[in-house]
Amino acid sequence: GAGVSQSPRYKVAKRGQDVALRCDPISGHVSLFWYQQALGQGPEFLTYFQNEAQLDKSGLPSDRFFAERPEGSVSTLKIQRTQQEDSAVYLCASSFLTGTGELFFGEGSRLTVL
Amino acid sequence: DAKTTQPNSMESNEEEPVHLPCNHSTISGTDYIHWYRQLPSQGPEYVIHGLTSNVNNRMASLAIAEDRKSSTLILHRATLRDAAVYYCILNNAGNMLTFGGGTRLMVKP
């Protein structure tokens, strides 16, 4: 498809398990962002890539969270030793360039940690 | 980052215009005003953005106050599909968007 694709759409993990969430941005988009959205809240910034370079990871809540984009296209957000407070929707967005342009969001991956 | 203030919720009747307000009294000269909306179980989608002048596109209009301390998103004829959370966001660096709580718009048939 032409949009941002995220997988899996839904993930249930037991506390302590590791999870990996994938984002396929729109082809040719240089910038890629990850956001976390708790129930009833607005999305909160996690991290930002320009091509393969992670330029900002100030929003990652702990060192259990790790993101990569090794070839400047697909990105993976990994959460180690999941906790119940990690339960949220994880949104990926991409844009052609940085600046004031439009961000295109995926539908998100809903993570539930039991 | 400069912050925005929006009402938590608003109601509208179908087929009527909707004016969604946003206050941003600490806006800087280089901040663009962006609006995104999020339909249920979807990611946010871009609606419109502007700097100083009013803007129109196929989805909505954006009216920006002369002093830029407030703006209004205008949906000219609300439909049931416009029911969503609308976010007003200031952006000057372009590196990320900082979302607030937004306004939940409910549209009554």
Side-chain angles (χ1 to χ4, degrees), chain A residues 9 33 35 37 40-45 48 50 56 58 91 97-108 110, chain B residues 30-32 34 36 38 41-47 49 87 91-102 104:
Chain A
R9 285 293 315 278
F33 302 80
Y35 283 81
Q37 186 170 26
Q41 306 291 318
E44 293 199 0
F45 170 79
Y48 156 64
Q50 186 170 325
D56 188 341
S58 61
L91 294 161
L97 289 171
T98 56
T100 56
E102 175 180 354
L103 284 194
F104 295 83
F105 282 83
E107 292 186 308
R110 180 179 296 277
Chain B
T30 55
D31 283 330
Y32 282 77
H34 286 241
Y36 280 72
Q38 188 170 22
S41 300
Q42 303 282 321
E45 66 172 341
Y46 169 84
V47 178
H49 79 280
Y87 296 99
N91 181 20
N92 66 359
N95 287 345
M96 67 169 175
L97 300 178
T98 301
F99 289 80
R104 181 173 298 279

Side-chain angles (χ1 to χ4, degrees), chain A residues 28-82:
Chain A
H29 277 196
V30 168
S31 298
L32 186 145
F33 302 80
W34 283 98
Y35 283 81
Q36 180 190 58
Q37 186 170 26
L39 191 63
Q41 306 291 318
E44 293 199 0
F45 170 79
L46 293 177
T47 187
Y48 156 64
F49 291 85
Q50 186 170 325
N51 295 308
E52 68 278 5
Q54 189 174 20
L55 298 187
D56 188 341
K57 54 182 181 179
S58 61
L60 296 176
S62 78
D63 58 9
R64 296 186 295 104
F65 286 70
F66 172 76
E68 61 183 4
R69 194 186 184 197
E71 297 177 359
S73 178
V74 170
S75 178
T76 304
L77 177 67
K78 297 179 180 177
I79 309 173
Q80 296 176 322
R81 304 181 304 280
T82 53

Side-chain angles (χ1 to χ4, degrees), chain B residues 5-7 10 19-23 35 71-73 88 103:
Chain B
T5 305
Q6 299 178 255
M10 290 184 64
H19 290 229
L20 296 162
C22 182
N23 287 321
W35 284 82
S71 60
T72 303
L73 180 71
C88 170
T103 297

Side-chain angles (χ1 to χ4, degrees), chain B residues 7-109:
Chain B
N8 288 334
S9 64
M10 290 184 64
E11 270 191 4
S12 170
N13 294 317
E14 198 177 10
E15 307 280 318
E16 290 186 356
V18 182
H19 290 229
L20 296 162
C22 182
N23 287 321
H24 28 79
S25 57
T26 59
I27 191 170
S28 74
T30 55
D31 283 330
Y32 282 77
I33 302 159
H34 286 241
W35 284 82
Y36 280 72
R37 72 178 186 180
Q38 188 170 22
L39 280 67
S41 300
Q42 303 282 321
E45 66 172 341
Y46 169 84
V47 178
I48 200 166
H49 79 280
L51 183 61
T52 56
S53 302
N54 295 343
V55 185
N56 299 296
N57 67 20
R58 62 175 179 80
M59 289 182 72
S61 295
L62 176 60
I64 301 173
E66 199 168 330
D67 64 5
R68 300 210 326 125
K69 293 182 185 294
S70 65
S71 60
T72 303
L73 180 71
I74 302 165
L75 307 179
H76 295 286
R77 283 177 67 244
T79 71
L80 296 179
R81 289 180 296 177
D82 291 322
V85 178
Y86 287 79
Y87 296 99
C88 170
I89 303 163
L90 301 183
N91 181 20
N92 66 359
N95 287 345
M96 67 169 175
L97 300 178
T98 301
F99 289 80
T103 297
R104 181 173 298 279
L105 175 66
M106 292 166 279
V107 180
K108 296 183 291 184

